[in-house]
Amino acid sequence: MTRIAYLGPAGTFTEQATQQWAPEHAADAWPAPSVPAAITALREGRVDAAVVPFENSVEGSVPATLQALLDGGDDDGVRITAEVHVEVQFSLLVRPGTGLEEVRTVASHPHAFAQTREWLAATLPEAQQVPEASTARAAQAVAEGLYDAAVAAPGAAEAYGLASAAARIADREGAVTRFVVLRTDRSVPPPTGSDRTTLVALIWQNQPGALLELLEQFATRGIDLSRLESRPTGEGLGEYCFWIDADAHLGEARMREALTGLRRTCRDVRFLGSYPRADGRPVQVPTHADDTAYAEALRWVEGLEG
Ligand SMILES: O=C(O)C(=O)C[C@]1(C(=O)O)C=C[C@@H](O)C=C1
């Protein structure tokens, strides 16, 4: 039995991701009160896996997750071992009998507010928006009488005895949130031909061309990057680290070579995992960059002497 922690309470999109990833264990999963709490439970061995939101197609990355992953330092062994995509759709949930005109306070997760900004501005311009740890926590708090309404997943209505005052309120249709499954055993799932590697790199500051040099580690080895994001390290204004998703697996020679290049040229590199892509899209490897090409080239070099 796999013990799982997820961003709770029941009714979050993260719970949907957990059900999608491990339907047989989801019912026994622990609804953590926050992303750091889920990751701490994993680090302390109270659970075997943690499911947390990583990025959204409209609002971008989830800072609480990125920060909690970095906070662990180098040796905590936390790795991303899988990813799950969930299409997100929002409703405005209220206690039964509450009309839209009575709504003075709306609670939700900041990412959910960001995805319903225009609707809220047009429909409830006077309402105070209160950030909560998750959309379902906001719905629960409405049921407890703390706020008048919550922006949450439609399914949260049933979980907390709420009514839907408005459905499909997202500013953009078809938004998708990407969730990651974390484990601590330093495990790397085997390559599937459709994989991603997530890394964090710190480049040397004030060194012209440092970012270009980082990107060249991938370009010259035929590795496509699907995500590159600079985020503050927290060490001071102007200090950034780069979050990278590369379409390759640690088991491939080109990825190993890129990692050795990064290790030599960057101030620091964190490997956060190689794992199958949720969309299963096959990764095209240029013939000059596949394992056969690397092995042949190495044989050639080794044969040059003697
Ligand atoms: O609050 C939830 O329901 C979550 O699962 C978190 C989260 C997020 O962090 O982005 C997940 C999907 C939506 O984009 C809004 C909130």
Side-chain angles (χ1 to χ4, degrees), residues 7 56 59 61-64 90 107-117 120 129-135 138 151:
L7 172 63
N56 171 263
E59 189 49 16
S61 58
V62 180
F90 300 99
S108 198
H109 186 281
H111 262 51
F113 277 136
Q115 292 174 78
T116 53
R117 193 177 285 134
L120 287 169
Q129 296 178 10
V130 189
E132 271 292 351
S134 71
T135 55
V151 174

Side-chain angles (χ1 to χ4, degrees), residues 294-305:
Y294 271 95
E296 195 281 323
L298 188 62
R299 266 197 308 278
W300 176 75
V301 171
E302 284 170 348
L304 290 177
E305 233 181 346

Side-chain angles (χ1 to χ4, degrees), residues 267-279:
R267 182 153 76 90
D268 198 8
V269 186
R270 284 279 308 276
F271 171 79
L272 286 175
S274 288
Y275 50 92
R277 292 170 60 107
D279 61 11

Side-chain angles (χ1 to χ4, degrees), residues 28-194:
D28 301 312
W30 176 57
S34 67
V35 168
I39 297 180
T40 301
L42 177 67
R43 287 196 176 111
E44 292 177 353
R46 285 181 276 129
V47 294
D48 309 307
V51 182
V52 291
F54 193 80
E55 65 167 331
N56 171 263
S57 61
V58 174
E59 189 49 16
S61 58
V62 180
T65 299
L66 304 193
Q67 197 52 51
L69 282 172
L70 281 190
D71 284 347
D74 232 354
D75 300 321
D76 69 352
V78 169
R79 297 265 170 89
I80 302 173
T81 58
E83 63 173 15
V84 183
H85 292 177
V86 174
E87 204 170 308
V88 292
Q89 187 51 251
F90 300 99
S91 292
L92 188 81
L93 306 183
V94 293
R95 288 181 295 281
T98 308
L100 268 184
E101 65 293 347
E102 296 168 73
V103 173
R104 305 272 176 277
T105 50
V106 185
S108 198
H109 186 281
H111 262 51
F113 277 136
Q115 292 174 78
T116 53
R117 193 177 285 134
E118 289 165 26
W119 187 88
L120 287 169
T123 319
L124 298 167
E126 305 289 328
Q128 186 197 350
Q129 296 178 10
V130 189
E132 271 292 351
S134 71
T135 55
R137 171 57 208 148
Q140 192 180 46
V142 170
E144 290 165 2
L146 292 178
Y147 313 111
D148 300 324
V151 174
E158 205 186 321
Y160 299 103
L162 299 177
S164 173
R168 305 188 85 84
I169 63 171
D171 299 331
R172 291 181 70 140
E173 279 285 317
V176 174
T177 298
R178 174 183 168 210
F179 297 83
V180 291
V181 179
L182 305 171
R183 289 184 177 268
T184 40
D185 46 12
R186 296 175 75 84
S187 62
V188 178
T192 63
S194 172

